[in-house]
Amino acid sequence: MRIALVTDYYLPTLGGVQTAVRALAESLRNAGHDVTVFCPLATTSTDPGVVGLPVSPVFRPDGYPFAWTPARVRSVLRREFAARGIDVVHTHSEMFAALGGVRAADDLGLPVVHTMHGRIDVYTQHVLPLPGVTTALLARLHGGQVSHAGITVAADSADTATRAARRMWRVMLAQSRASDHVVVPSAHFARRLVDRGVRTPVSVVSNGLEPSVLAAVGPGHVRLLHAGDPVRIVWVGRLSPEKRPEVLVDAAHRFPDGVEVHVYGDGVARSAVRRAARDTPVVLHGAVSHRQVLHAMHDAHLLVSSSSGFDNQPMVMLEAIASGLPVVHTDPDLAEVVPEHGGFCTPTPDADGLVSTIRRLRADPALVTTASRAMVAARSRVEQQTRAIVDVYDRVVDDRRGGERRSPTDR
């Protein structure tokens, strides 16, 4: 099968979507499929399986290249899809690379699968300047590519309390409606989408790690932590408000002696995090290679995830499982990602909850070893679910061949 993966976020920038798309591309190629990744690029790629899209010369949200203009992106994708004989288009974001993929697919009568990786309502609120203004502009531009007609979002929960959040939920619902099938890595977010009105078929298919990453991680190993040993914590991700790195730094001021914290990543909150981390056991390593991140996880005792109400299925948690590294998380929804007994959910999502959990593990290090054993035993669950994704592709290709074409403005 000839597959187009279209995303607004890809290498060499770091993030969960980038990691997930790379893993999917590798696993599909290993299974014998012809895969091309289409994305805006920060630098020219030497990978013949990656095609760069037109980008804005000035707008770079959170430092990422931004696919622009919609007409140019659509034109490039339509030409490339036709030239490469693409069978199915799989989008991985909700901005203009993915929208161009939807429109180009419609031009050519191709089916579209969309993976909903995360909460753009939360992301835009924390990352975009003047979110009240910029989300209105983005929603209007999005609605110019796929229809928002008839989509309403009530202010009936914390998720939709603000006008900006409701705009972005309409974007997510419209993107789902414009697709032939929606894939969601976690059941908790799939339920949210369906509850909000998604009627497109939805499949829950976990992300996975590609064979090359599993090989780089090596065999998972049990962390043997004894009383008096230093406890090494790692935090990996964008230094961006929706990831809440400041919660970890705030907690670190009150961590017990013998705890060290290593933060890997960069982003718009870098300066604020650096200032807040003074006089704490926190070391900021900045943006490093993926291999360096995996090496740091290999030597750590705990991975901390401080985000709450944002992440769907953090790829770094899958890497932790593969490594045998226990996870401390502040979002109860993410318990779905962590194998039973392989991690610790803080009693509250704030710094106080994180402090109490780390103090408990410092006082009883055997808990860390027990959790690590559970992670090692669960390693097989993080392998890429290639067959499940290909089954979705087969379904939408067969449905499209036997049914009527639908326009993004009609779905």
Side-chain angles (χ1 to χ4, degrees):
M1 186 177 292
R2 293 176 293 274
I3 303 158
L5 305 181
V6 187
T7 175
D8 286 86
Y9 316 105
Y10 199 60
L11 307 175
T13 59
L14 297 177
V17 175
Q18 295 91 316
T19 304
V21 173
R22 178 186 59 199
L24 179 59
E26 181 179 314
S27 67
L28 288 168
R29 287 170 183 148
N30 287 346
H33 300 281
D34 186 346
V35 180
T36 307
V37 177
F38 298 88
C39 57
L41 292 171
T43 58
T44 302
S45 176
T46 58
D47 184 345
V50 177
V51 175
L53 297 175
V55 299
S56 168
V58 292
F59 188 50
R60 293 175 64 89
D62 207 14
Y64 293 130
F66 188 76
W68 193 254
T69 64
R72 291 173 62 209
V73 172
R74 179 182 181 182
S75 177
V76 169
L77 288 171
R78 182 172 57 238
R79 182 181 69 243
E80 292 284 344
F81 290 173
R84 294 167 185 266
I86 294 298
D87 297 306
V88 62
V89 176
H90 189 170
T91 55
H92 290 268
S93 48
E94 291 78 39
M95 290 294 102
F96 294 102
L99 290 172
V102 171
R103 298 303 300 274
D106 184 66
D107 292 339
L108 300 172
L110 301 174
V112 176
V113 174
H114 179 62
T115 290
M116 194 70 71
H117 284 282
R119 297 280 302 277
I120 62 168
D121 56 319
V122 180
Y123 176 80
T124 52
Q125 176 184 337
H126 288 293
V127 171
L128 294 183
L130 301 173
V133 176
T134 49
T135 57
L137 175 61
L138 285 175
R140 183 171 181 176
L141 290 169
H142 190 280
Q145 302 301 309
V146 298
S147 174
H148 291 200
I151 296 176
T152 59
V153 178
D156 57 1
S157 72
D159 289 348
T160 58
T162 68
R163 184 173 295 179
R166 292 192 293 276
R167 290 189 190 109
M168 292 298 99
W169 268 101
R170 282 194 292 273
V171 164
M172 289 188 280
L173 297 179
Q175 188 94 15
S176 299
R177 189 172 66 179
S179 305
D180 295 273
H181 202 103
V182 176
V183 172
V184 188
S186 64
H188 74 265
F189 193 44
R191 286 192 297 269
R192 270 194 169 102
L193 290 169
V194 172
D195 289 346
R196 279 289 163 200
V198 169
R199 296 297 174 260
T200 302
V202 176
S203 293
V204 177
V205 181
S206 173
N207 287 319
L209 303 179
E210 64 270 47
S212 63
V213 169
L214 288 172
V217 170
H221 68 283
V222 175
R223 273 62 176 176
L224 299 176
L225 186 62
H226 306 287
D229 288 349
V231 179
R232 186 180 178 93
I233 292 172
V234 292
W235 186 101
V236 180
R238 286 191 311 276
L239 290 180
S240 191
E242 78 280 2
K243 293 288 190 176
R244 303 199 315 154
E246 75 284 353
V247 172
L248 171 66
V249 173
D250 183 12
H253 283 276
R254 292 175 281 152
F255 281 169
D257 291 340
V259 174
E260 54 186 70
V261 181
H262 296 266
V263 173
Y264 296 87
D266 202 353
V268 295
R270 176 182 62 252
S271 296
V273 170
R274 181 183 293 115
R275 288 193 299 271
R278 290 172 185 161
D279 301 321
T280 72
V282 175
V283 179
L284 302 179
H285 295 269
V288 300
S289 70
H290 189 224
R291 185 168 291 276
Q292 286 174 281
V293 169
L294 296 180
H295 181 77
M297 292 172 68
H298 180 276
D299 293 339
H301 298 104
L302 295 167
L303 171 76
V304 167
S305 170
S306 54
S307 73
S308 183
F310 171 71
D311 278 313
N312 189 347
Q313 187 194 50
M315 293 297 293
V316 69
M317 283 193 175
L318 302 188
E319 292 167 349
I321 296 168
S323 178
L325 179 64
V327 174
V328 175
H329 58 98
T330 59
D331 187 343
D333 281 341
L334 295 184
E336 176 187 348
V337 183
V338 181
E340 187 175 9
H341 306 305
F344 310 89
C345 183
T346 60
T348 57
D350 52 15
D352 289 342
L354 194 51
V355 170
S356 68
T357 299
I358 297 302
R359 286 187 178 277
R360 178 164 69 95
L361 298 178
R362 178 68 173 142
D364 189 356
L367 294 173
V368 174
T369 299
T370 299
S372 183
R373 288 197 178 99
M375 292 297 234
V376 170
R379 180 183 165 98
S380 62
R381 68 182 275 179
V382 303
E383 296 174 358
Q384 185 69 231
Q385 296 188 28
T386 313
R387 183 68 255 172
I389 289 293
V390 172
D391 285 345
V392 171
Y393 294 162
D394 286 338
R395 196 177 317 155
V396 296
V397 168
D398 290 345
D399 288 348
R400 181 59 69 101
R401 287 171 179 167
E404 295 292 325
R405 284 182 62 185
R406 297 181 300 162
S407 167
T409 57
D410 297 334
R411 298 175 189 179

